Amino acid sequence: MSVAILLCLLVGCGGKEEQAANVEEVPLSVLSSANASYDAARQAEQAAYAAQVASYDRQVDPSSVDAYDVEDTGDYVCTDDCSGHEAGFAWAQEHDITDESDCGGKSMSFIEGCEAFARERQEQAEQMAEEDAESADEDDGDSYDY
């Protein structure tokens, strides 16, 4: 039964020879122009994608943020008082720490304060880089004549 339905569909659609006869020939110049347009659009798309990937891959240097511009946001949990955390944060600030792995010591709260400094500094550097990129994008947009 299913073979009969398939045969009816094939016969009803006219078969491949009839379909091919209905297709008009497209001039070669039109095809060449369409291919060139497609290729140009594809290259522009790839260039834009590469630029976007490069901006994501760009490493942000936390040392671009002055250590004394980093504010203690209290990004840690204290048990009694926060003196250990504050001391670790101040030490990291004084020693220009840029990476959490550079934090050490015998006191966990001291280490956490140092790590909080390194994180905050990294976040500020990333924010500055993002603002710079947005500013550059806006500047690029101003150069176009409409």
Side-chain angles (χ1 to χ4, degrees), residues 89-109:
F89 192 95
W91 180 87
Q93 198 170 40
E94 291 169 14
H95 289 85
D96 207 24
I97 298 297
T98 58
D99 192 303
E100 290 181 56
S101 65
D102 294 332
C103 298
K106 296 179 181 178
S107 165
M108 195 62 192
S109 61

Side-chain angles (χ1 to χ4, degrees), residues 60-67 69 98 121 124-126 128-129 132:
V60 178
D61 182 12
S63 66
S64 64
V65 175
D66 185 276
D69 288 341
T98 58
R121 191 173 190 184
Q124 285 185 14
E126 289 170 0
M128 284 175 49
D132 289 346

Side-chain angles (χ1 to χ4, degrees), residues 105-117:
K106 296 179 181 178
S107 165
M108 195 62 192
S109 61
F110 181 91
I111 295 169
E112 289 171 355
C114 177
E115 290 172 344
F117 172 84

Side-chain angles (χ1 to χ4, degrees), residues 9-107:
L9 288 174
L10 287 174
V11 172
C13 292
K16 290 184 179 183
E17 291 83 23
E18 188 175 319
Q19 288 177 359
N22 290 333
V23 175
E24 295 179 22
E25 286 191 32
V26 177
L28 186 57
S29 61
V30 171
L31 289 175
S32 295
S33 175
N35 283 338
S37 295
Y38 174 79
D39 289 343
R42 186 78 174 128
Q43 287 174 350
E45 181 182 285
Q46 288 173 344
Y49 177 75
Q52 186 176 18
V53 167
S55 72
Y56 289 133
D57 288 343
R58 180 180 31 214
Q59 294 294 323
V60 178
D61 182 12
S63 66
S64 64
V65 175
D66 185 276
Y68 291 98
D69 288 341
V70 179
E71 294 183 28
D72 189 351
T73 60
D75 184 25
Y76 38 76
V77 178
C78 306
T79 51
D80 291 330
D81 65 4
C82 293
S83 61
H85 291 92
E86 291 166 353
F89 192 95
W91 180 87
Q93 198 170 40
E94 291 169 14
H95 289 85
D96 207 24
I97 298 297
T98 58
D99 192 303
E100 290 181 56
S101 65
D102 294 332
C103 298
K106 296 179 181 178
S107 165

